Amino acid sequence: MDLYAQLMETKAYLQSKLALKPRVAAVLGSGLGFVAKRLTEVTEVPYEDIPHFKVSAVPGHAGKLVVGKLGEVPVMVFCGRVHLYEGYSAVGVSYPVRAAVALGAEVVILTNAAGTVWPHWSAGDIMIMKDHINFQGTNALIGLDDDRLGERFLDMTDIYDAALRGVLKSFAMARGIDLREGVYCAFLGSSYETKAEVRMARTLGGDALGMSTVQEAITARQGGARVLGLSIITNLGSGVSGTPLSHGEVKEAANKVGGKFIDLLTGVIPELLD
Ligand code: HPA
């Protein structure tokens, strides 16, 4: 079955389950799922029930879609994502975003946990993605030759919408929340970067280091949605601090930033729509 036909099945299934038509979609990375707790009029759909969704093989990490309202805005929140390093294709990892856009999402918010190339940045910093460098060696549009999915040779100027970044910056400034802004470098993983790779990323204009998000951003853009990307800085990259990285440290740092991040995200969402 081709991707478009799959997408139509996924859309029909979700429309049959959901009372709301979501206008904003958010993909929440590791440890950030708690944002969904702020929604009202909630419907939850486990990923394994949704036709053509990929489910993470890690026990307890299957993921779920939570749809509800933030203020008056209907929102869909993807709690958990699958990654290229789990063996899925770029088309596969970005499928939930494609489904969100097919359902009518106008704004797609992508979040992730990331390392940084800068010694003066700290775990707990929040970075607005102003651009990305895709070092993953693959692309979400590979193999897709179907006008119904959108443009094949997709323009990537302003992939992360300048107006949305502006709204977020004003919102944060008014509340005294410091934000950083920078370029997210996506690696394949699941090993962290070498010291030389971190140096390369810094030399080439990168600020943050991660293993997700860029394929979803490309897909959202292809569907015509506006994209906002946010990185939670969880650690200094390899060689930037003297200590080796661990997944435990990354998860712990993502959890710690919780309160600030949830206030920022849930507060700004109602202001993102035209
Ligand atoms: N590198 C890549 N991905 C990550 C990192 C990192 O340092 N921290 C969290 N995700």
Side-chain angles (χ1 to χ4, degrees):
M1 188 191 283
D2 71 19
L3 186 67
Y4 186 77
Q6 290 182 12
L7 197 59
M8 291 305 108
E9 277 190 2
T10 303
K11 181 177 170 183
Y13 174 82
L14 287 174
Q15 282 175 332
S16 77
K17 289 276 166 193
L18 303 177
L20 301 167
K21 181 172 179 287
R23 296 188 65 193
V24 176
V27 180
L28 302 176
S30 341
L32 304 172
F34 43 72
V35 171
K37 297 214 166 70
R38 295 271 180 98
L39 301 181
T40 57
E41 300 177 39
V42 166
T43 310
E44 292 192 4
V45 190
Y47 287 171
E48 61 254 39
D49 291 356
I50 306 176
H52 310 297
F53 260 48
K54 309 285 181 263
V55 178
S56 172
V58 183
H61 287 256
K64 63 183 177 187
L65 170 62
V66 182
V67 178
K69 280 189 168 179
L70 265 181
E72 286 307 303
V73 181
V75 180
M76 65 197 310
V77 180
F78 294 93
C79 300
R81 55 154 64 90
V82 294
H83 298 82
L84 291 173
Y85 62 71
E86 293 173 77
Y88 298 106
S89 69
V91 172
V93 299
S94 51
Y95 190 80
V97 164
R98 202 172 276 289
V101 174
L103 278 169
E106 298 151 55
V107 169
V108 173
I109 304 173
L110 302 172
T111 69
N112 56 64
T116 179
V117 305
W118 299 115
H120 59 285
W121 288 23
S122 310
D125 287 357
I126 300 175
M127 186 192 88
I128 304 180
M129 293 169 65
K130 84 170 168 219
D131 207 343
H132 75 226
I133 300 177
N134 178 3
F135 280 129
Q136 296 190 311
T138 188
N139 189 292
L141 308 189
I142 283 187
L144 306 184
D145 182 12
D146 185 339
D147 289 344
R148 293 171 301 180
L149 298 171
E151 188 82 41
R152 185 170 206 186
F153 297 99
L154 184 67
D155 176 51
M156 296 286 285
T157 316
D158 292 327
I159 171 85
Y160 302 97
D161 189 270
L164 294 181
R165 285 190 279 132
V167 172
L168 181 62
K169 280 188 264 187
S170 309
F171 181 87
M173 198 181 294
R175 285 156 189 81
I177 301 173
D178 285 329
L179 294 179
R180 298 192 180 277
E181 188 166 33
V183 175
Y184 176 89
C185 292
F187 291 87
L188 188 53
S190 56
S191 61
Y192 290 113
E193 300 72 34
T194 63
K195 291 194 272 185
E197 286 164 345
V198 172
R199 275 201 309 276
M200 172 190 74
R202 186 167 54 220
T203 306
L204 296 180
D207 300 286
L209 310 158
M211 305 176 192
S212 65
T213 306
V214 297
Q215 309 301 342
E216 294 155 342
I218 293 167
T219 301
R221 198 74 205 103
Q222 190 192 33
R226 296 193 293 151
V227 183
L228 182 66
L230 282 172
S231 296
I232 305 291
I233 303 299
T234 53
N235 57 278
L236 305 187
S238 164
V240 182
S241 84
T243 49
L245 280 181
S246 76
H247 185 52
E249 170 195 357
V250 168
K251 275 198 300 199
E252 203 184 303
N255 285 332
K256 264 199 210 141
V257 77
K260 181 168 72 161
F261 185 74
I262 196 174
D263 289 345
L264 184 69
L265 202 56
T266 54
V268 81
I269 282 176
E271 299 193 11
L272 294 176
L273 294 168
D274 294 329

